[in-house]
Amino acid sequence: MSIAGVCLEKPGTKVALTGNEAIARGALEAGVAYAASYPGSPTAEVLGTLSRLAGNFKLYAEWSVNEKVAMEGAAAASFAGLRSLVVMKADGLNVALDFAGALAISGCRGGMVIVLGDDPNAHSSVREEDSRNLCKAIHLPVLEPSSVQEALEMTREAFSLSEDLKLPVVVRCVTRVCHASGDVELGELNRPLPVPDFTRDNRVITFGIQLHALQEQKLARAAEWACHSGFNSYTGPENPERLVIACGPCYMHALEALDMLAATGVGVLKLGVTWPLPHQLLLKYLRNASEVVFAEEVEPFVEDNVTSLAAMQIPRGIKFYGKRSGHVAGPAGPGIGELDPDILASSLAGIFGVKYETPGVSGRAEALELLGEKMPDRELAFCAGCPHRASFWAVRAALELDGRGGIVLGDIGCYTLGMARTGYNLLQTVHCMGAGIGLAGGMANLSRFGFDRPIVTLVGDSTFYHAAIPALINARYHNSSFLCVVLDNETTAMTGHQPHPGRSVTAMGEPARTVRMEELLQGVGLPYVVQDPYDVEATIDVVCNMLGQEGPRVLILRRTCVLAAVRGKQKARVYVDQEKCIGDSCGCGRFCSRVFACPANVWDAAGGKARIDEAVCNGCGVCASLCPQGAIVVERAVL
Amino acid sequence: MPGQELLVKEIMDRGLCSSCGMCVGLCPYIKTAGDRVRAIYPCGIEEGACYGVCPKTSLDISEMDMFVHGREREDHALGIYSGIYYARATARADGAQYGGITTALIGLALREGLISSAILTGGDIMNPRPVLAATPGEVNSCAGSKYTGVPTLLELNRAAGRGLTGIGLVGRPCQVAAVRKLQRGKLPPERTYSDRLVGLMLGLFCFWSLSSELYGFLARETKGEEIIKMDIPLEGPGVLTKTGSRRWRVDEIRPFINKSCNYCFDSTSEWADLSVGSTEQDPGWNTLLVRSGQGRDLVELAADRGVLEIKDYPAGRLPVLRKAALNKKMRVLALAEKEPGNGGCPAIPDKYLREMNVQWGGINR
């Protein structure tokens, strides 16, 4: 909401912040000195906020090349005695996991906090991974804020806990908290920073099982701390028979759901520390309970760990309701997707045997009916003027022209949308950062078994730096024959135009030593061609030619993300000459609006001709070059 | 009239497209790369111009004779023509094939304003490309035969879009047929091109064209040397490079013959204004068939201006040429019989079939 609020030096004041801003504020209040991240939703704005404030504080902030490097950088600061923060989405932990697991063993020195953004329902992710299971596997404590205020406080306190335990602490924050806005009460800023040092006497080594024993001791201490932490709280009767255990935003949902059901006598135990579990606290409320309901997203993490605790500690049977029993479930089934007050109210009503009907008047069906045709039908699509649209059209055209049934392997970025209609359904695989290139190499190596289809893999520029290089080296080393197309829009577009090593500026706005993609490719020894995808015909030719070549080879389709390109500039005016457009008589079958399908190309049903939605159009002019009648006019080309 | 879906099914997917280029650029869905022409996206339109102008879809020989020449043919080997000659250019363009009369005639037509520009095959043997030539110099730079299918007619669509008229055209028989189909009005009314779009059609003799696999073969055989000239006389295909010449047996390049050519009925561009080929006898001369009044006018002008030297076609050669053309037709008929309902083969009226059989038999006797 407000960057000013994040750096406001008025303790006790309430300001409106987003969850991500609250995390940034919490880190600043804790005296964070080093922050690193690779951008990913839902937590991209944490480092974005910190980097903008780096000048106001004694703070180093960087967009790292990937999450593992980010975590290593932050760990180094911690080893030298500073407080450090590393931020990533759940998928990022997978990238950083090798180091994270080792770091959990070696431990850290200055307080180190790992903010993990989980995305239940996969709003802006390819999966809804629950990172808590990995945190448990590598023995890291996990805090889970359920509100914006808690996001601030937990981040701040996590630094102290980390410093006490000499162990990084995870703050797991889901989309509904990261992206929510709320009033938060500010704490003190300007915590004095130590002078970093790491002398010849300092050793932080991951080796031997005695350290494993130390990890278990640290977690036992964390569990002890959790039992007394204010982040866990209980409301309800002293010895509840019915108990709801909730964490994250599900705590709020649970309170609301119980209110909607007018259920009384139900205890609600909020867990702010979900790993390690506060055993004594849990046992206190489980002792007399006969029915226990779990409200959490996404996996039954607390559920599994609490039921296992109860099995060992409580001699009588308790009825547990949750994802395992199938009672707590959204429309897609237990453990899939987000929960909300309505889902929880329905679930609780079923468990407690009371009647509950989804609110009628403001119900979904009525709302949709009321909105009727006013709601524009929007599918996932590239922005108007997106260079990827031109690239996907050209690659598709070239593959058809090539005619050998070439395959296309995808990757992670805006262009992941290319698996859908907006990318002409081109992508056949989508997995994780850089996976398309490794897969392409593997497919190419099948040639010795007779696999002879041309192989194309599409990767973005940020992903190229993040995870593509080892796979390209492998391809060069084994002479795996495929065409790697880098869709270079010169930014990390999907997450909000964060800079990457190909850019000339850092997160803090300082000039950077650009790592040129061409130089990297030269270094690896891969041949490459650079082409502007807006010139569709030429791009088709280049892709056709390169499809016919052998060995690993790279085509850089370079064109700045249109949203970045037009920022602050007057856009070119593009319009359809209504004399020249001959509508359905053309034989193009409404190519611009129906097939090429840029959101700015619309069909004027009344006039029976094509039109440009000039409010949406970004003036790239690619449609003008593809219209068979030459009916689209570009007035001032600026791009 | 069917559309892209059938064009893809009947012609493209069966390898029967001859890469004439007539459908390229009519819509945003049919594109070309090198010698390939493919539909890159299903347009979903049931009735499309692409199917109508394709020379490999329904084409009735007798109807086409009537449309182009105003009468049915008597000669089933060479089609309708008013004269056959040997001819050569008095000033042969560099790189021109045999007598060089194609380049000379197009250059003359351009200089005289009979055409505004010409659609030709430029580039070289290994990298031929469509060219819209607007000057005699550009025409000369396209001299010399290329042996792979080049979709040069895409330039016709492009030129029509620019509003050009009076365009001259040098093409293979399938390309001549495609333009004649276009002229017969196989476009939707709103898209119909000007009647004056094409000013002259000079068709080439063509028994088959080769696929782009030829390039790999030539590159291997010549070890990457630059090829100055190629031709395919009776002795077999050969190339001239800077260091010498190479010649192969026809069987060595036979695998590269485009499948569509096996179904082609026309080896002498029967619906052109003028048809030009080799003599198979004297490499310094061309065979010239004059088919239309317009073609006659240009040849007479060329003779008047001393651009061409023209002499009678040797009487003894005519049966040889006719036999070659009829043999090709008979091979197509045999193939069509073996694969009934196959697209890519024209419809031949019964009358034509009967007469053709008589004429073919006559030759054999």
Side-chain angles (χ1 to χ4, degrees):
Chain A
M1 284 280 162
S2 106
I3 198 101
V6 179
C7 60
L8 192 67
E9 291 193 43
K10 283 187 184 165
T13 317
K14 285 198 167 179
V15 296
L17 297 181
T18 65
N20 284 334
E21 287 167 345
I23 292 169
R25 171 74 188 199
L28 289 172
E29 289 181 8
V32 68
Y34 191 110
S37 177
Y38 181 82
S41 187
T43 43
E45 295 80 16
V46 177
L47 197 281
T49 303
L50 287 172
S51 65
R52 287 167 67 190
L53 291 172
N56 306 31
F57 293 85
K58 224 176 165 185
L59 169 67
Y60 174 80
E62 76 166 34
W63 287 120
S64 309
V65 71
N66 66 32
E67 292 88 349
K68 180 168 178 280
V69 173
M71 191 179 284
E72 287 156 353
S78 164
F79 295 168
L82 294 175
R83 287 191 163 183
S84 68
L85 179 75
V86 61
V87 188
M88 61 197 67
K89 70 185 296 169
D91 312 61
L93 178 62
N94 305 336
V95 175
L97 194 65
D98 200 2
F99 179 70
L103 178 64
I105 298 171
S106 76
C108 64
R109 198 166 145 227
M112 178 170 173
V113 173
I114 302 169
V115 172
L116 296 181
D118 280 13
D119 190 13
N121 219 40
H123 293 286
S124 352
S125 311
V126 292
R127 55 186 150 187
E128 51 170 4
E129 183 168 317
D130 188 331
S131 60
R132 296 175 300 178
N133 285 309
L134 283 182
C135 295
K136 179 187 174 187
I138 60 171
H139 300 74
L140 288 181
V142 179
L143 309 184
E144 281 192 63
S146 57
S147 67
V148 178
Q149 177 72 44
E150 257 191 351
L152 186 156
E153 291 172 11
M154 280 187 178
T155 307
R156 185 179 61 208
E157 297 311 315
F159 281 96
S160 307
L161 177 62
S162 164
E163 229 156 62
D164 286 349
L165 297 172
K166 300 282 175 246
L167 184 68
V169 171
V170 170
V171 175
R172 183 226 190 199
C173 211
V174 297
T175 307
R176 298 292 177 183
V177 174
C178 290
H179 290 177
S181 298
D183 273 354
V184 293
E185 190 176 325
L186 303 178
E188 294 271 358
L189 283 173
N190 300 323
R191 188 179 170 278
L193 296 187
V195 176
D197 198 9
F198 190 76
T199 70
R200 280 292 295 136
D201 296 330
N202 291 112
R203 286 165 75 82
V204 192
I205 287 170
T206 304
F207 189 77
I209 63 158
Q210 65 274 29
L211 290 175
H212 186 184
L214 181 62
Q215 278 183 287
E216 299 298 348
Q217 287 166 26
K218 286 178 178 179
L219 284 179
R221 278 176 54 213
E224 184 63 28
W225 170 85
C227 284
H228 303 100
S229 164
F231 295 136
N232 302 318
S233 64
Y234 174 78
T235 49
E238 198 169 328
N239 291 308
E241 279 199 21
R242 285 176 167 172
L243 179 67
V244 176
I245 300 177
C247 57
C250 291
Y251 169 61
M252 301 298 195
H253 300 337
L255 294 182
E256 206 174 328
L258 288 168
D259 198 42
M260 285 152 79
L261 292 175
T264 52
V266 181
V268 179
L269 178 59
K270 182 199 139 214
L271 289 185
V273 185
T274 49
W275 192 255
L277 287 179
H279 286 190
Q280 297 312 317
L281 185 75
L282 278 161
L283 289 171
K284 179 179 168 192
Y285 295 104
L286 287 173
R287 200 148 285 139
N288 289 308
S290 55
E291 292 181 308
V292 175
V293 185
F294 296 96
E296 62 182 320
E297 295 163 337
V298 176
E299 308 285 344
F301 177 79
V302 170
E303 181 177 337
D304 284 352
N305 289 304
V306 168
T307 50
S308 127
L309 171 73
M312 286 188 294
Q313 300 286 337
I314 297 177
R316 59 181 183 80
I318 299 174
K319 288 199 108 170
F320 288 107
Y321 300 97
K323 301 176 200 301
R324 296 290 176 206
S325 73
H327 286 82
V328 178
I336 300 165
E338 288 181 305
L339 300 182
D340 62 26
D342 222 30
I343 292 169
L344 269 181
S346 300
S347 302
L348 288 168
I351 294 163
F352 297 156
V354 295
K355 272 188 87 106
Y356 172 73
E357 275 179 27
T358 314
V361 180
S362 60
R364 185 184 167 82
E366 286 86 345
L368 285 175
E369 198 172 321
L370 278 172
L371 284 165
E373 289 177 358
K374 289 173 206 153
M375 272 267 272
D377 190 19
R378 289 190 65 188
E379 58 178 320
L380 276 177
F382 297 136
C383 305
C386 176
H388 293 339
R389 181 175 288 103
S391 297
F392 272 76
W393 183 253
V395 171
R396 162 144 192 159
L399 282 167
E400 295 293 334
L401 283 167
D402 180 80
R404 290 178 291 162
I407 58 168
V408 185
L409 312 179
D411 226 295
I412 302 295
C414 290
Y415 51 93
T416 305
L417 300 182
M419 66 184 156
R421 203 172 72 101
T422 193
Y424 318 109
N425 309 306
L426 206 55
L427 300 187
Q428 296 172 258
T429 67
V430 170
H431 292 84
C432 66
M433 299 287 281
I437 299 173
L439 287 170
M443 289 280 184
N445 297 341
L446 303 182
S447 61
R448 66 191 61 219
F449 303 110
F451 185 89
D452 61 356
R453 291 179 186 280
I455 300 158
V456 179
T457 177
L458 302 182
V459 65
D461 45 334
S462 197
T463 307
F464 175 87
Y465 292 105
H466 178 290
I469 314 289
L472 285 174
I473 292 172
N474 197 57
R476 153 85 182 173
Y477 176 45
H478 295 102
N479 197 31
S480 313
S481 187
F482 62 83
L483 172 62
C484 172
V485 178
V486 185
L487 303 168
D488 182 4
N489 58 10
E490 305 188 301
T491 187
T492 317
M494 191 69 158
T495 46
H497 296 123
Q498 291 83 1
H500 59 54
R503 297 285 301 281
S504 56
V505 69
T506 69
M508 296 191 293
E510 294 171 354
R513 296 195 169 196
T514 308
V515 181
R516 291 187 64 238
M517 202 175 280
E518 288 91 327
E519 288 171 11
L520 276 171
L521 292 170
Q522 277 161 18
V524 176
L526 289 174
Y528 66 86
V529 171
V530 184
Q531 169 66 34
D532 176 3
Y534 275 180
D535 187 346
V536 175
E537 296 295 332
T539 305
I540 293 173
D541 275 353
V542 171
V543 178
C544 276
N545 282 338
M546 294 191 83
L547 281 173
Q549 296 165 2
E550 292 291 321
R553 57 218 185 264
V554 179
L555 171 62
I556 301 170
L557 292 180
R558 180 170 291 149
R559 180 48 88 150
T560 306
C561 169
V562 74
L563 299 184
V566 300
R567 191 175 291 157
K569 288 190 192 141
Q570 190 175 5
K571 298 183 217 169
R573 180 172 176 245
V574 180
Y575 64 92
V576 177
D577 182 332
Q578 297 294 305
E579 295 295 308
K580 281 194 178 169
C581 175
I582 52 174
D584 279 335
S585 310
C586 177
C588 76
R590 305 181 191 178
F591 171 75
C592 59
S593 59
R594 186 182 64 94
V595 177
F596 190 60
C598 174
N601 291 105
V602 291
W603 178 252
D604 178 0
K609 296 193 177 190
R611 208 165 50 75
I612 303 285
D613 183 341
E614 290 186 31
V616 174
C617 177
N618 280 312
C620 74
V622 171
C623 61
S625 73
L626 297 174
C627 170
Q629 278 295 98
I632 305 178
V633 184
V634 184
E635 222 162 56
R636 295 174 304 271
V638 289
L639 293 183
Chain B
M1 185 175 61
Q4 188 210 76
E5 192 183 344
L6 266 189
L7 184 71
V8 169
K9 202 171 136 204
E10 289 182 0
I11 308 298
M12 292 180 176
D13 282 354
R14 290 157 80 180
L16 297 180
C17 168
S18 68
S19 308
C20 75
M22 192 66 258
C23 61
V24 179
L26 284 175
C27 70
Y29 306 100
I30 300 181
K31 300 268 179 202
T32 174
D35 66 339
R36 290 187 62 82
V37 173
R38 295 293 296 177
I40 59 162
Y41 201 90
C43 70
I45 296 167
E46 279 176 26
E47 302 202 341
C50 55
Y51 191 89
V53 298
C54 175
K56 298 294 171 184
T57 61
S58 59
L59 183 148
D60 184 300
I61 293 183
S62 148
E63 281 175 20
M64 199 60 96
D65 280 351
M66 292 301 292
F67 172 70
V68 177
H69 299 301
R71 62 185 171 94
E72 293 196 325
R73 66 181 64 186
E74 299 84 33
D75 184 340
H76 288 278
L78 303 177
I80 293 164
Y81 63 97
S82 63
I84 181 164
Y85 311 95
Y86 271 13
R88 67 179 176 193
T90 47
R92 242 171 113 265
D94 274 353
Q97 206 83 2
Y98 307 119
I101 68 169
T102 301
T103 307
L105 285 168
I106 293 296
L108 174 67
L110 194 62
R111 283 194 304 276
E112 294 293 324
L114 301 173
I115 55 174
S116 65
S117 51
I119 292 171
L120 308 169
T121 306
D124 52 43
I125 292 292
M126 300 286 272
N127 189 26
R129 59 186 166 80
V131 167
L132 180 73
T135 66
E138 285 167 352
V139 171
N140 283 349
S141 72
C142 295
S145 299
K146 285 84 184 177
Y147 289 88
T148 45
V150 183
T152 52
L153 294 183
L154 64 91
E155 290 291 349
L156 193 60
N157 287 320
R158 217 176 264 171
R162 288 165 52 199
L164 297 184
T165 54
I167 297 163
L169 184 92
V170 175
R172 291 170 280 140
C174 52
Q175 295 182 300
V176 173
V179 176
R180 291 304 186 195
K181 287 185 89 174
L182 179 85
Q183 289 177 322
R184 277 191 78 193
K186 295 295 186 186
L187 286 179
E190 292 82 352
R191 300 252 348 216
T192 304
Y193 295 155
S194 158
D195 287 344
R196 294 179 293 118
L197 176 67
V198 178
L200 174 76
M201 253 189 281
L202 196 155
L204 300 170
F205 285 14
C206 174
F207 282 77
W208 29 255
S209 67
L210 300 168
S211 77
S212 54
E213 287 169 68
L214 173 73
Y215 307 143
F217 171 82
L218 291 180
R220 279 192 304 278
E221 291 284 319
T222 62
K223 302 197 167 48
E225 262 194 76
E226 192 190 332
I227 292 169
I228 298 165
K229 187 122 207 83
M230 175 169 178
D231 79 19
I232 309 184
L234 289 173
E235 310 89 272
V239 296
L240 181 69
T241 67
K242 276 182 179 158
T243 56
S245 61
R246 286 289 314 266
R247 194 164 293 289
W248 302 276
R249 287 174 296 110
V250 173
D251 281 346
E252 290 179 83
I253 60 161
R254 202 176 289 283
F256 312 136
I257 293 175
N258 283 317
K259 188 179 169 192
S260 65
C261 302
N262 297 332
Y263 294 87
C264 179
F265 216 64
D266 178 2
S267 45
T268 59
S269 293
E270 293 165 3
W271 298 303
D273 295 308
L274 294 169
S275 301
V276 174
S278 79
T279 62
E280 302 283 3
Q281 190 192 32
D282 186 341
W285 292 77
N286 286 112
T287 298
L288 171 64
L289 276 163
V290 177
R291 296 188 183 276
S292 73
Q294 201 186 347
R296 166 78 52 200
D297 292 345
L298 179 63
V299 169
E300 282 172 1
L301 182 70
D304 279 356
R305 298 284 160 88
V307 170
L308 289 194
E309 191 183 332
I310 297 171
K311 65 182 184 185
D312 286 343
Y313 195 78
R317 293 295 301 170
L318 194 57
V320 180
L321 175 61
R322 292 193 68 242
K323 183 179 175 184
L326 270 177
N327 270 344
K328 169 107 176 83
K329 289 177 200 256
M330 288 304 165
R331 280 199 299 274
V332 173
L333 286 178
L335 198 59
E337 218 164 87
K338 216 162 58 186
E339 300 174 39
N342 211 335
C345 183
I348 303 135
D350 287 344
K351 175 169 172 266
Y352 273 28
L353 270 179
R354 282 195 305 272
E355 291 173 2
M356 198 186 313
N357 268 305
V358 170
Q359 292 182 13
W360 185 48
I363 283 172
N364 267 4
R365 276 197 298 274

